[in-house]
Amino acid sequence: SRYLAKKLPLATVTGISISDAQIARATALATQQGVANAKFELKDALKMDYPDNSFDMVWAIESGEHMPDKKKYVEEMARVLKPGGTLVFATWCQRETPPDFNPTERATLDFLYGEWTHPYFISIEEYTRLMTGTGVLESVASDDWVKETIASWRHSIWVGVWDPWIVVRKPWTWWKTLRDGVTLERMHRAFDCGLMRYGMLKATKKFV
């Protein structure tokens, strides 16, 4: 949200989260950085209390994978978007089925679900079906940005290796830090082999 607000200084940008801590942190950073056109509110993306047709643009980054109801997630974003407005979101996806997942793929997905408490992933194709199924979105487009994003997984591991101060300051976190490193590597491999895909999705809202 702060990035958008900096890029669009004449716009008002609203960021939402279900975490009080994230809202407080984002608000503090916006104040420190002089980003006066960004505000942050405690909202559930599956039941936002904004009126219909509230925003010119809806942009979501890596939140869909955390949503327990993907259909409701897409419908809510479409609902608060103004006619003629643009919806863009990025999310982690699993590959389309069929073919069904083999035992190794299934075990990998179960590990990724459990380690970072994701409810489930869906495919890029399923997201496009959900978007079309709203009945109010058109010009639905999608792409797989694995090539553009896959380096970030191992980069995140090396950031921890080269800057281990979180473990030095809080030594009781070493086990979680180690497990996160393993999960990051398994995420990298899942994206690299095609089991996971990085979904970029876009649509506009119809004038009714």
Side-chain angles (χ1 to χ4, degrees), residues 12-14 16 39 41 48 50-58 79-83 85-86:
T12 298
V13 179
T14 303
I16 68 169
K39 61 179 180 178
E41 298 178 348
M48 294 180 281
Y50 299 117
D52 296 354
N53 309 320
S54 291
F55 299 98
D56 297 298
M57 181 179 182
V58 175
R79 181 186 67 79
V80 301
L81 183 64
K82 291 180 180 179
T86 300

Side-chain angles (χ1 to χ4, degrees), residues 115 167 170-181:
E115 195 65 19
V167 178
K170 301 178 180 180
W172 58 90
T173 66
W174 73 269
W175 176 239
K176 181 181 184 305
T177 302
L178 179 61
R179 288 180 63 171
D180 281 347

Side-chain angles (χ1 to χ4, degrees), residues 64-78:
E65 57 269 24
H66 300 284
M67 301 297 167
D69 187 336
K70 315 300 191 198
K71 183 174 183 288
K72 183 64 174 176
Y73 172 60
V74 172
E75 289 174 345
E76 272 293 274
M77 291 192 290

